[in-house]
Amino acid sequence: MSSYEENKLVAAHIIQRLGEGGQPPEFGLQRINVGNESYLNVLEHEYFNALLRQGSSFKLVQGYFGGGKTHFLHCVREIAWRYGFVTALVELSPTECPYDDALKVYQNVASRITTAPETIMTPPAYGIGNLVRKVVDERLKPSQGSPEQARAEVLHWINHTLARAWCESHSYRQAIAGLANAYLMADFRREQRIEAWLLGESIQNSELKDDGIYDQLARSNGFTMLRSLLQMVVAMGLNGTALLFDEVDRNLSVSAKRSHIIGDNLRQVVDLCGRHQLPHTLFMYAVPPEFMRTVVPDYPALYQRLKSPVSLSARSPQAVLIDLEKLDLAPTELLTQLGQKLVSVFEDARDIALNHKLQAENAYALAKACTDAYFEVNHRRLFVKTWVSFLYTQLADGESRLTPEDVNALIWSEQQSLTQHMDAEDAFDDF
């Protein structure tokens, strides 16, 4: 595929994602990102380029629903991939993945962990099994000898390095080494059996004893296994891990017991960051502002660790909090710049040329109306969906200047569409 064709497909993907649901695209996010660059620059230069080479860090991302938390985590994921980190972007919810259930948290991380995709149009290969297989494949490539010699060299690495690496769980280390060995030797049944255990599926202990795996994955050891996963990522020769947790439940009213477990688990993570138990790890937890106001104060030990008078910036790169309510641009300017970037993307997707001066004026008119109509940051979703729809009308009917009446009609129409068709998943995947 030529670079022209790839660029056109990526542009079409961006327009489709934003136009249908106001959701951040899987690919080409840097083409439309605006307003959060100061945070991303600090994370890249202070953390991925320096601190995470030897330690780990915890960051709390704060923003209202619709305020860009998911979008921001996608941006961090792209930076992590550029620096050779594996990533796991996990949505936390009371049913699918509650943070007070260590086993479900581990299972979701193990199934979502991935390296950067091979090309921008290739989906990531998710899962701990695919990660181990990719490491083995990469180690087979450099050998200058025969295929048999290459396999012998990788087998020696598995038995004498990987299987002897430091790891909190002996069973977990043996599982990673056993999976690598089974894949290398084309033992499919053994490979599938060990991979199922690594993914947290129910496997009888008797089936795994010959592989040196004696533990069962459970809620009681879920976080031990999660730490072991991070330790074995480094043992496999990878640069580190970015764990990106997105709290997608709008209702924070959980029981006191569950709330206490969540608070205690977070406190432990904050304390472990910087120690060898979480090597080369960025642990990022995205929540609405109510979390800091209504949940954290009940747990003084956690509150003391998270509370800070300042948020992350070039002047305070050590700060724990990343506050997405404090961006580089004012709301109207942010949306206007986003609209201008989308014009260029739309041109690539549709092979057309638009009047940039005219469309910049239209973007400003719509941006101002959206921010005036909404006091909360949900105007971002409204803007991107309305703007993409408007660009299609410009394509079909010819370019024209937006009048105040046109703007009001567009906003009202798109607002009705959002109200009628927004389902739970769409509501959580904020732009």
Side-chain angles (χ1 to χ4, degrees):
M1 182 184 297
S2 68
S3 59
Y4 167 79
E5 292 173 317
E6 184 176 281
N7 184 60
K8 182 178 173 66
L9 285 173
V10 172
H13 165 73
I14 294 171
I15 295 299
Q16 180 263 332
R17 288 280 292 179
L18 298 182
E20 285 188 353
Q23 299 170 322
E26 287 288 325
F27 313 107
L29 196 61
Q30 71 281 355
R31 294 200 59 181
I32 59 167
N33 188 55
V34 63
N36 58 21
E37 290 90 346
S38 61
Y39 291 132
L40 295 175
N41 287 337
V42 172
L43 288 171
E44 178 172 1
H45 298 298
E46 296 287 341
Y47 290 86
F48 287 106
N49 196 39
L51 189 148
L52 296 177
R53 291 184 175 185
Q54 58 182 349
S56 55
S57 180
F58 175 89
K59 298 299 175 191
L60 188 76
V61 178
Q62 173 178 285
Y64 287 103
F65 288 101
K69 295 193 302 300
T70 301
H71 176 91
F72 184 78
L73 294 182
H74 277 76
C75 291
V76 174
R77 182 175 69 169
E78 289 198 353
I79 295 175
W81 282 342
R82 288 206 305 269
Y83 280 83
F85 279 60
V86 299
T87 65
L89 179 54
V90 175
E91 291 186 346
L92 299 173
S93 66
T95 53
E96 295 295 324
C97 184
Y99 193 70
D100 58 305
D101 188 328
L103 177 59
K104 287 188 177 181
V105 171
Y106 168 80
Q107 289 171 327
N108 276 267
V109 170
S111 64
R112 295 295 297 173
I113 198 165
T114 183
T115 57
E118 296 293 334
T119 69
I120 197 169
M121 294 305 299
T122 304
Y126 292 109
I128 185 64
N130 285 327
L131 181 63
V132 173
R133 285 186 282 269
K134 182 172 183 178
V135 167
V136 172
D137 288 338
E138 290 296 321
R139 286 191 164 269
L140 286 169
K141 290 179 182 178
S143 176
Q144 300 299 316
S146 64
E148 291 75 15
Q149 181 181 343
R151 282 196 297 272
E153 291 173 358
V154 176
L155 183 61
H156 183 274
W157 170 78
I158 292 171
N159 293 335
H160 292 82
T161 301
L162 189 62
R164 298 179 181 181
W166 179 83
C167 181
E168 285 187 56
S169 168
H170 168 82
S171 290
Y172 203 90
R173 180 181 60 237
Q174 292 302 109
I176 294 292
L179 178 57
N181 183 293
Y183 175 62
L184 181 68
M185 307 308 292
D187 188 342
F188 181 74
R189 290 178 63 86
R190 182 184 177 216
E191 177 188 341
Q192 295 300 100
R193 184 171 64 245
I194 298 175
E195 182 175 6
W197 184 88
L198 283 167
L199 290 171
E201 298 177 12
S202 180
I203 303 292
Q204 295 294 325
N205 280 10
S206 58
E207 298 183 55
L208 298 165
K209 285 184 177 180
D210 290 343
D211 299 302
I213 302 171
Y214 305 108
D215 292 333
Q216 279 281 3
L217 283 160
R219 293 185 68 168
S220 60
N221 64 5
F223 280 116
T224 299
M225 296 304 180
L226 179 58
R227 294 194 299 271
S228 298
L229 184 156
L230 302 176
Q231 292 153 12
M232 292 308 296
V233 163
V234 175
M236 285 188 283
L238 298 162
N239 289 349
T241 309
L243 290 181
L244 311 171
F245 291 102
D246 193 4
E247 178 61 72
V248 298
D249 183 23
R250 289 176 181 268
N251 183 10
L252 292 175
S253 58
V254 298
S255 68
K257 180 180 178 181
R258 288 186 57 197
S259 180
H260 178 78
I261 296 173
I262 292 172
D264 190 57
N265 288 341
L266 281 178
R267 179 194 57 77
Q268 290 184 45
V269 168
V270 175
D271 289 347
L272 286 171
C273 282
R275 302 181 191 174
H276 64 280
Q277 285 100 324
L278 297 181
H280 313 301
T281 301
L282 174 66
F283 193 106
M284 190 166 280
Y285 196 92
V287 295
E290 290 81 4
F291 184 82
M292 281 295 292
R293 294 198 300 265
T294 63
V295 177
V296 175
D298 291 337
Y299 308 98
L302 179 62
Y303 185 77
Q304 292 167 7
R305 288 161 173 78
L306 298 183
K307 186 62 177 177
S308 172
V310 295
S311 58
L312 186 82
S313 69
R315 294 183 176 181
S316 54
Q318 80 292 340
V320 173
L321 179 65
I322 297 175
D323 189 355
L324 296 182
E325 300 311 300
K326 300 175 182 178
L327 295 174
D328 303 336
L329 301 171
T332 299
E333 185 180 357
L334 186 149
L335 294 184
T336 301
Q337 289 194 21
L338 174 59
Q340 291 174 291
K341 288 193 172 189
L342 280 173
V343 168
S344 297
V345 175
F346 191 80
E347 289 176 325
D348 289 346
R350 308 300 298 189
D351 274 331
I352 60 169
L354 297 173
N355 184 327
H356 285 201
K357 184 176 184 298
L358 173 63
Q359 297 307 336
E361 294 172 357
N362 286 338
Y364 173 77
L366 181 60
K368 190 173 188 309
C370 285
T371 53
D372 289 345
Y374 275 73
F375 292 106
E376 297 183 357
V377 292
N378 290 324
H379 55 241
R380 296 178 195 171
R381 181 188 296 274
L382 175 65
F383 174 83
V384 295
K385 284 179 60 65
T386 306
W387 184 241
V388 170
S389 296
F390 172 72
L391 290 177
Y392 274 110
T393 65
Q394 298 284 277
L395 174 64
D397 302 334
E399 295 184 84
S400 61
R401 190 178 308 278
L402 277 172
T403 66
E405 292 77 16
D406 294 333
V407 170
N408 291 335
L410 282 170
I411 290 178
W412 184 88
S413 175
E414 197 59 55
Q415 191 176 19
Q416 297 303 307
S417 174
L418 281 171
T419 303
Q420 294 172 9
H421 298 103
M422 184 181 293
D423 58 25
E425 180 181 357
D426 185 55
F428 297 147
D429 210 359
D430 55 343
F431 179 78

